[in-house]
Amino acid sequence: MHTLRRRQPPTASSSQPPPPSPSTATAERKLTAEDHTSLSLLDILRLLAGLLLLSSALSYFLTSSSLTWNYPRPSWTRLGVVKAWLRGPISLTPAELALYNGTDPSLPIYLALNGTIYDVSASPGIYGPGGGYAFFAGRDGTRAFVTGCFETDVTPDLRGVEEMFLPLPVAGAGGERDEEREGKGKGKGEGESRAKGKVRREQERRMARKKVRESVEHWEGFFAKSKKYHKVGSVKREENWLDKLPRRELCEAARRKRPSREVKKDTSA
């Protein structure tokens, strides 16, 4: 006789997929967390972009001209600065520098100060043709920056400029100047007076030269730190170029700026 066997019902293990291993579950949790993180960062970026756009629109609406609330643009956002950085420093002779005086609209406007060339194209109304300081464009006018004589001193020659800071001696009752009075002593006193006068004049000349350097450094800092202008290179000059230039007299405006030295009254009598 045949024996009937009862079919066993399917077990849970055969109808359901096996549980994920711990490593698989951990990987899925990491993937889900990364998805949420990337979405959050994207939302933040969208929010920041929207706020920036709103701020720029509001700035232009209120100022009618600026997208940055009239704050100066950073130098790295200006095309000229980026081009100069990519090109590297340039070297121009005085004749080549003269071409960058603003008369050619296809060229930038350059000026030089103490041998360093700066791009001042951002202010064509100042340094371009017809501007108040157009005489500086395409030239090295270091001397004029110190003396203030813009008509005669637009040159890099600084020889003798320190005289504008030297005290102007005041004549005494007899019309004698300081140096003449100092040599009128007798014997030992005469030598001491002359020596003191020589030391004093040397000190005054050193201080005058220091003031010239400080004045040049002031203007160098002005252009170097400016948000509108930037350095592009240097002036290439001939050897001993300064010796080939005629020496200049101190201009009238600079002579009028010379300080006076007070004459001490002689109380020995």
Side-chain angles (χ1 to χ4, degrees):
M1 295 180 65
H2 296 286
T3 303
L4 297 176
R5 296 181 179 178
R6 186 177 180 180
R7 181 176 296 178
Q8 298 293 331
T11 61
S13 60
S14 61
S15 62
Q16 297 181 359
S21 63
S23 60
T24 304
T26 303
E28 290 178 352
R29 285 196 298 270
K30 287 184 177 179
L31 182 59
T32 303
E34 290 176 357
D35 291 342
H36 286 301
T37 303
S38 63
L39 290 175
S40 299
L41 289 176
L42 184 59
D43 291 339
I44 293 174
L45 292 176
R46 288 174 177 171
L47 177 62
L48 292 177
L51 291 176
L52 181 61
L53 182 61
L54 179 62
S55 175
S56 299
L58 186 60
S59 172
Y60 187 81
F61 176 76
L62 295 178
T63 63
S64 301
S65 59
S66 173
L67 297 176
T68 57
W69 299 97
N70 286 328
Y71 281 98
R73 290 174 56 189
S75 59
W76 54 267
T77 63
R78 300 201 303 271
L79 183 59
V81 177
V82 176
K83 286 183 177 179
W85 181 78
L86 294 175
R87 180 186 61 236
I90 62 175
S91 181
L92 301 175
T93 65
E96 293 170 337
L97 177 63
L99 300 176
Y100 297 83
N101 60 358
T103 57
D104 187 345
S106 65
L107 296 177
I109 304 175
Y110 291 163
L111 65 77
L113 176 64
N114 201 25
T116 301
I117 302 175
Y118 297 94
D119 189 329
V120 295
S121 304
S123 299
I126 298 177
Y127 298 104
Y133 293 96
F135 43 79
F136 281 127
R139 307 166 72 182
D140 187 331
T142 307
R143 187 184 184 97
F145 277 102
V146 180
T147 63
C149 297
F150 301 137
E151 295 182 358
T152 60
D153 283 357
V154 184
T155 172
D157 186 0
L158 289 173
R159 291 175 299 179
V161 175
E162 69 274 8
E163 293 181 10
M164 67 178 293
F165 299 108
L166 290 175
L168 189 65
V170 178
E176 299 170 336
R177 299 172 69 88
D178 296 14
E179 293 82 355
E180 297 172 347
R181 287 191 300 272
E182 288 166 357
K184 279 203 167 183
K186 295 182 179 180
K188 182 179 179 181
E190 178 183 354
E192 291 178 351
S193 179
R194 288 180 177 177
K196 289 180 180 179
K198 182 178 179 180
V199 170
R200 186 198 66 227
R201 288 190 293 272
E202 289 177 351
Q203 291 176 344
E204 290 173 347
R205 188 164 292 274
R206 284 197 298 269
M207 290 299 299
R209 289 171 178 165
K210 180 181 178 182
K211 290 182 178 180
V212 173
R213 290 195 302 270
E214 290 175 347
S215 180
V216 174
E217 289 171 356
H218 163 75
W219 287 109
E220 287 177 331
F222 170 79
F223 286 103
K225 298 176 183 178
S226 173
K227 299 296 184 181
K228 297 189 297 182
Y229 316 132
H230 57 278
K231 176 182 175 181
V232 295
S234 59
V235 181
K236 180 171 57 178
R237 307 188 192 278
E238 299 179 358
E239 187 177 358
N240 300 323
W241 63 273
L242 192 57
D243 296 334
K244 301 177 182 179
L245 297 178
R247 292 188 68 93
R248 292 173 174 266
E249 296 290 336
L250 195 64
C251 64
E252 181 63 27
R255 285 199 296 266
R256 290 198 298 265
K257 295 178 183 179
R258 290 187 63 179
S260 298
R261 181 190 300 124
E262 295 183 1
V263 179
K264 295 182 180 180
K265 297 181 179 180
D266 188 3
T267 58
S268 59

